[in-house]
Amino acid sequence: MTYPLLILVLPAVLQGIVMGFDEGWFHRRRGLPRWERLGHPLDTLTTAACFAWIVSVPAATEGALETYIGLSVFSCLFITKDEFVHARACSPVEHWLHALLFVLHPIVLLCFGWIWWSGSPLWVLEAQLLLTVAFLTYQILYWSVYWEPQPAANPP
């Protein structure tokens, strides 16, 4: 991987680290209400759709760039839908992590769009799509199959 390619992948690495803290610490600590258990995989699906597009459609295809931009804008707007739930459910630190994720999301999409548009190796895009689909699978399985809500504590 060339040095500029490493720079373009760095925002995705940062996004993965921040997402790991959000998911691994905050979501597991507070649990997710049904809306978030459904909504978060949908967020990931909109991101996977962006990556699937650039993996499957050559950049030189007519309308390909415009379609990618449209998918990316939709994804950037769609991921904000849970903020009404988050306003009641999240701590200030979790809100701050969400703000970082909202900043990183369009940067990641821009960087991978640049990789695609510049004709860089397809394996980088395929790897990102695979990681995104793996995370989507985890979200669906963990929050829909394996996670069990903790019973509310009875006050003394």
Side-chain angles (χ1 to χ4, degrees), residues 8-153:
L8 291 172
V9 172
L10 184 60
V13 172
L14 294 173
Q15 183 184 44
I17 291 168
V18 174
M19 186 72 73
F21 277 107
D22 190 36
E23 178 68 24
W25 177 257
F26 291 104
H27 293 177
R28 288 178 182 225
R29 193 179 87 192
R30 70 176 168 87
L32 296 182
R34 185 172 191 271
W35 174 249
E36 285 183 285
R37 290 193 317 267
L38 297 172
H40 289 181
L42 291 173
D43 296 339
T44 305
L45 185 61
T46 68
T47 307
C50 294
F51 297 143
W53 179 260
I54 60 177
V55 163
S56 61
V57 177
T61 304
E62 186 176 338
L65 179 61
E66 293 83 355
T67 301
Y68 180 68
I69 291 170
L71 289 168
S72 296
V73 168
F74 176 77
S75 182
C76 289
L77 294 173
F78 189 83
I79 65 169
T80 67
K81 73 186 173 344
D82 291 332
E83 286 313 290
F84 300 104
V85 174
H86 292 158
R88 295 184 310 271
C90 299
S91 70
V93 175
E94 188 176 0
H95 280 296
W96 179 75
L97 283 180
H98 292 164
L100 287 177
L101 290 169
F102 293 145
V103 169
L104 286 168
H105 190 74
I107 294 170
V108 167
L109 293 171
L110 178 67
C111 287
F112 280 101
W114 187 287
I115 291 168
W116 169 65
W117 191 255
S118 70
S120 291
L122 188 61
W123 71 265
V124 176
L125 304 174
E126 292 169 335
Q128 185 61 31
L129 175 59
L130 181 65
L131 289 169
T132 304
V133 169
F135 185 64
L136 172 64
T137 303
Y138 154 79
Q139 287 177 307
I140 292 169
L141 290 177
Y142 182 80
W143 290 107
S144 298
V145 178
Y146 297 110
W147 180 72
E148 293 185 25
Q150 299 301 316

